[in-house]
Amino acid sequence: MSEIQTRVSSARRRLVLAQFGHNLCWTLFVAILVAIVAIALPAIWVMEVDFDVWANAWLIGAGVMAVLAAAVHAVATAPSVQSVAAEVDRRFGLRERLSSSISLDAVSRESDFGLALVRDAEKQAAKIAVAQRFSLQPTRLGWLPISLVPVLAIVLLLVEPAESVSATAAKTDIAEITQVKTATTQLKKRIQQQKRKAVAEGLKEAEALFEKMEVDLDKISKRESMDRKEAMIALNDLKKQLEERREQLGSPDQMRRAMSQMKGLESGPADKVAKSIEKGEFGNAKDLVKQLAEKMRDGKLSEQEKSQLKKQVEQMKQQLEKAVQDHQKKKQEMEQKIEQARKEGRGEEAAKMQQKLNEMSQKDGQMQQMQKMAEAMAQAQQAMQQGDAGQAADAMQQMADQLGEMQQEMSELEDLQSALDDLSQSKNQMRCEGCGGAGCGKCQGMGMGMGDGAGQGNGLGKGSGFGDRPEAEEDTNTYESQVRGQVKKGKAIIAGFADGPNRKGVTQEDVKQSIEAAISKESDPAENQTLPRAEREHAQQYFDRLRDGR
């Protein structure tokens, strides 16, 4: 190979390498940018891939593709030998010696002119160093891909892949999920039994409530990622529904208390009725009243028994009416106290009394039942005074119907309390480490104390015990639990009504009441207040001038 071809080939290789480096800067920039987007993609969309493998694959693949693309483009756009020779002539000032000698054909090369041209070109080519004018040096364009390296490092360090529900469930303790499902399934079966009992007793509202609970428990048992904490929160919501229904029903304690406080009830046919009501046995009282109604209708009661029954009915009626009147009187007194507290600006005290008034209002349903019972007793008493046995029997039948309704409410209250107990037991089963949610003596509160005696639950007997205390209902009507509840909107309670149209903005009534309360209070006069010396002298001078007329 001649000197001309050697120098031209060397220059051509250097030009191709320079083009490759230029292309590589751009292709690496694009490749790193695409890799950053691809690596960040699992943080936005859930992708069932190994994040480390995904990131490495994109980095290596993008780098390889950048090199290949730069190389292919450099080879495809490589300059021809003739153009390279002309570039060498231009950079070294050879006046087209190399390009002219390369462009000669075979015939011209063998001529005297051609031989002289080639010899001169060879001589000049031997003197040049291609590396001096065709150097390979980095340019500012090389900073372009390097500028994305910090961004790539931040993405690799900070980005965490998003996880699907199934992936979260896979990380959750399988034993805990199984325990929750086992306890929930058992609770669902017990609620189904409660629902069948409610259907048999004709308790429609209790049946609907238990059916809704069954649906909610079915959702809990079918969730794959339901852990213990979420299950506890769901059970607390169910417990709240049961307690709200229990508050709506109230309690027949008012009637029982009225019967127990009745003094001097004369003996007669209604003795057992009063005692049954006092014990809360409304079903038994209903049957006894029905029997008395039938005897009254059939004329099987003697005149003495009728007289005794009339007096007993009168006494029970008066006692029930007294209980209703006392309840209404207490409510009115509480309303007056609230109104007075608001006028005097004692808002916090008024709010507390309003809460008590709301609790008293929850017993209005019981009072209505007692009022209806008293009215039925009054009708029966009036009919017996008029000697109308049939009308008296009908009135007593109404009393029996009222007692039957109260017995249904008693049955529903018992069912609700049983369901609350089942919820408490299920919570213990979900936390029990011994049975896995299936139920055992420890979580069901049937353990023995380790001391001198036996107790309900481990450690509740005399002496030293072990294990956690079983959950129980406290006097504060709250349920102790370690579950962090979800904060929700509170229940709205009507505190009262105000006359006049509704207006937006700040009401002036509170401001008016505060001003009136402040005016009504006379300020205490200041007595025996000692002034500083300078102020005493100034006051003395003022009064002296006032006396002198100055």
Coordinates of all heavy atoms in Angstrom, one line a residue, residues 9-23 70-80 84 134 136:
S9 N -6.6 6.5 4.1 CA -7.3 5.5 4.9 C -7.3 5.9 6.4 O -8.4 5.8 7.1 CB -6.7 4.1 4.7 OG -6.8 3.7 3.4
S10 N -6.2 6.4 6.9 CA -6.1 6.8 8.3 C -7.0 8.0 8.5 O -7.7 8.0 9.5 CB -4.7 7.2 8.6 OG -4.6 7.6 9.9
A11 N -7.0 8.9 7.6 CA -7.9 10.1 7.8 C -9.4 9.7 7.7 O -10.2 10.2 8.4 CB -7.6 11.1 6.7
R12 N -9.7 8.7 6.8 CA -11.1 8.3 6.7 C -11.5 7.6 8.0 O -12.7 7.8 8.4 CB -11.2 7.4 5.5 CG -12.6 7.0 5.1 CD -12.7 6.2 3.8 NE -14.0 6.0 3.4 CZ -14.7 4.8 3.7 NH1 -14.1 3.9 4.5 NH2 -16.0 4.7 3.3
R13 N -10.7 6.8 8.5 CA -11.1 6.1 9.8 C -11.3 7.1 10.9 O -12.3 7.0 11.7 CB -10.0 5.2 10.2 CG -9.9 3.9 9.4 CD -9.1 2.8 10.1 NE -7.7 3.3 10.3 CZ -6.7 3.1 9.5 NH1 -6.9 2.5 8.3 NH2 -5.5 3.6 9.7
R14 N -10.5 8.1 11.0 CA -10.7 9.2 12.0 C -12.0 10.0 11.8 O -12.6 10.4 12.7 CB -9.5 10.1 12.0 CG -8.2 9.4 12.6 CD -7.0 10.3 12.6 NE -5.9 9.7 13.4 CZ -5.7 9.8 14.7 NH1 -6.6 10.6 15.4 NH2 -4.7 9.3 15.3
L15 N -12.3 10.3 10.5 CA -13.5 11.0 10.3 C -14.7 10.1 10.7 O -15.7 10.7 11.2 CB -13.6 11.4 8.8 CG -12.7 12.5 8.3 CD1 -12.7 12.7 6.8 CD2 -13.0 13.8 9.0
V16 N -14.7 8.8 10.4 CA -15.8 7.9 10.7 C -15.9 7.8 12.3 O -17.0 7.9 12.8 CB -15.6 6.5 10.1 CG1 -16.7 5.6 10.7 CG2 -15.7 6.6 8.6
L17 N -14.8 7.8 13.0 CA -14.8 7.7 14.4 C -15.4 9.0 15.0 O -16.1 9.0 16.0 CB -13.4 7.4 15.0 CG -12.9 6.0 14.8 CD1 -11.5 5.9 15.3 CD2 -13.8 5.0 15.5
A18 N -15.0 10.1 14.4 CA -15.5 11.4 14.9 C -17.0 11.5 14.7 O -17.8 12.0 15.6 CB -14.8 12.6 14.2
Q19 N -17.5 11.0 13.6 CA -18.9 11.0 13.4 C -19.6 10.1 14.3 O -20.7 10.4 14.8 CB -19.2 10.6 11.9 CG -20.7 10.6 11.5 CD -21.2 12.0 11.6 OE1 -20.6 13.0 11.2 NE2 -22.5 12.2 12.1
F20 N -19.0 8.9 14.6 CA -19.5 8.0 15.6 C -19.7 8.6 17.0 O -20.7 8.4 17.7 CB -18.7 6.7 15.6 CG -19.1 5.8 16.7 CD1 -20.2 5.0 16.6 CD2 -18.3 5.7 17.9 CE1 -20.6 4.1 17.7 CE2 -18.7 4.8 18.9 CZ -19.8 4.0 18.8
G21 N -18.6 9.3 17.4 CA -18.7 10.0 18.7 C -19.8 11.0 18.8 O -20.5 11.2 19.8
H22 N -19.9 11.8 17.7 CA -21.0 12.8 17.6 C -22.4 12.2 17.7 O -23.3 12.6 18.4 CB -20.8 13.6 16.3 CG -21.9 14.7 16.2 ND1 -23.1 14.5 15.6 CD2 -21.8 16.0 16.5 CE1 -23.8 15.6 15.6 NE2 -23.0 16.6 16.1
N23 N -22.5 11.1 16.9 CA -23.8 10.4 16.9 C -24.1 9.8 18.3 O -25.2 9.7 18.8 CB -23.9 9.3 15.9 CG -23.8 9.8 14.5 OD1 -24.1 11.0 14.2 ND2 -23.4 9.0 13.5
A70 N -25.6 4.6 16.7 CA -24.5 5.6 16.4 C -23.5 5.0 15.4 O -23.1 5.6 14.4 CB -23.8 6.0 17.7
A71 N -23.2 3.7 15.6 CA -22.3 3.0 14.6 C -22.9 2.9 13.2 O -22.2 3.1 12.2 CB -21.9 1.6 15.2
V72 N -24.1 2.4 13.2 CA -24.8 2.2 11.9 C -24.8 3.6 11.1 O -24.5 3.6 9.9 CB -26.1 1.6 12.0 CG1 -26.9 1.6 10.7 CG2 -26.0 0.2 12.6
H73 N -25.2 4.6 11.8 CA -25.3 5.9 11.2 C -23.9 6.4 10.7 O -23.8 7.0 9.6 CB -25.9 6.9 12.1 CG -26.1 8.3 11.5 ND1 -25.2 9.3 11.6 CD2 -27.2 8.8 10.8 CE1 -25.6 10.3 10.9 NE2 -26.9 10.1 10.5
A74 N -22.9 6.2 11.5 CA -21.5 6.6 11.1 C -21.0 5.9 9.9 O -20.4 6.5 9.0 CB -20.6 6.4 12.3
V75 N -21.3 4.5 9.8 CA -20.8 3.8 8.7 C -21.6 4.1 7.5 O -21.1 4.2 6.3 CB -21.0 2.3 9.0 CG1 -20.7 1.4 7.8 CG2 -20.0 1.9 10.1
A76 N -22.9 4.3 7.7 CA -23.8 4.7 6.5 C -23.4 6.0 5.9 O -23.6 6.2 4.7 CB -25.2 4.6 6.9
T77 N -23.0 6.9 6.7 CA -22.7 8.3 6.2 C -21.2 8.5 6.1 O -20.7 9.7 6.0 CB -23.3 9.3 7.2 OG1 -22.7 9.1 8.5 CG2 -24.8 9.2 7.2
A78 N -20.4 7.4 6.0 CA -18.9 7.6 5.9 C -18.6 8.2 4.6 O -19.2 7.9 3.5 CB -18.3 6.2 6.0
P79 N -17.6 9.1 4.5 CA -17.2 9.8 3.3 C -16.4 8.9 2.3 O -15.8 7.9 2.8 CB -16.3 11.0 3.8 CG -15.8 10.5 5.1 CD -16.8 9.6 5.7
S80 N -16.4 9.2 1.1 CA -15.7 8.4 0.1 C -14.2 8.7 0.2 O -13.8 9.7 0.8 CB -16.2 8.7 -1.3 OG -16.0 10.1 -1.6
V84 N -12.2 12.2 1.1 CA -11.3 12.2 2.2 C -9.9 12.8 1.7 O -9.2 13.6 2.4 CB -11.1 10.9 2.8 CG1 -10.0 10.8 3.8 CG2 -12.4 10.4 3.5
F134 N -6.3 15.6 12.0 CA -7.6 14.8 12.2 C -7.6 14.2 13.6 O -7.7 13.0 13.8 CB -7.6 13.7 11.1 CG -7.9 14.2 9.7 CD1 -6.8 14.6 8.9 CD2 -9.1 14.3 9.2 CE1 -7.0 15.0 7.6 CE2 -9.3 14.7 7.9 CZ -8.2 15.1 7.1
L136 N -8.8 13.3 17.4 CA -10.1 12.8 18.0 C -10.1 13.4 19.4 O -9.5 12.9 20.4 CB -10.2 11.3 18.0 CG -10.2 10.6 16.7 CD1 -10.1 9.1 16.8 CD2 -11.4 11.0 15.9

